[in-house]
Amino acid sequence: MAAKGNDHQIDNIELRVGDIGRARQFYERAFGWTFTDYGPTYCEFSDGRLTGGLTTAGSATPGGSLVILYADDLEGTQRQLEDLGAQIIKPIFAFPGGRRFHFLDPDGHELAVWSAT
């Protein structure tokens, strides 16, 4: 995981999911993530910059760390997520530095998407 020179930087995010195939399909279609399988209970994802994991070890724990993704087209990303069945729990709102919204993925994890515009 960690590479030399990345001390104290976020290196990995792991999400517990109920079904790796469903979660994988959701994130691939929503954000274009790629995946590497490491057995039936763990799958690594990459967004091209950051890696993380999807695991069925343990239960999904909504309310954990908030993962925030960036989008050039905030409204378009929200529509895409809604089309994929995501539940928007905080519609787009402004904050110092940009705008964002929050949604629940198919396993109930809360994530956010932000944009500087």
Side-chain angles (χ1 to χ4, degrees):
M1 272 193 236
K4 187 173 179 157
N6 290 337
D7 191 32
H8 297 165
Q9 296 179 355
I10 295 173
D11 185 58
N12 192 280
I13 297 169
E14 188 171 277
L15 300 175
R16 293 180 180 160
V17 299
D19 181 310
I20 286 178
R22 179 185 66 206
R24 190 178 165 150
Q25 181 180 19
F26 177 83
Y27 286 107
E28 181 178 23
R29 291 177 65 197
F31 301 111
W33 293 357
T34 58
F35 300 88
T36 303
D37 292 316
Y38 290 101
T41 63
Y42 195 87
C43 178
E44 180 185 73
F45 67 80
S46 173
D47 68 0
R49 184 176 65 151
L50 181 72
T51 62
L54 305 174
T55 183
T56 57
S59 302
T61 51
S65 298
L66 180 63
V67 177
I68 303 172
L69 300 120
Y70 184 83
D72 290 329
D73 178 0
L74 198 61
E75 287 80 6
T77 300
Q78 181 175 320
R79 282 191 302 276
Q80 180 182 16
L81 288 166
E82 289 172 320
D83 290 346
L84 291 169
Q87 179 184 354
I88 306 303
I89 58 171
K90 290 184 184 176
I92 294 173
F93 63 93
F95 69 95
R99 300 176 305 134
R100 77 183 199 196
F101 67 89
H102 294 219
F103 69 95
L104 296 178
D105 77 359
D107 285 285
H109 294 288
E110 180 178 353
L111 293 90
V113 182
W114 83 283
S115 179
T117 59

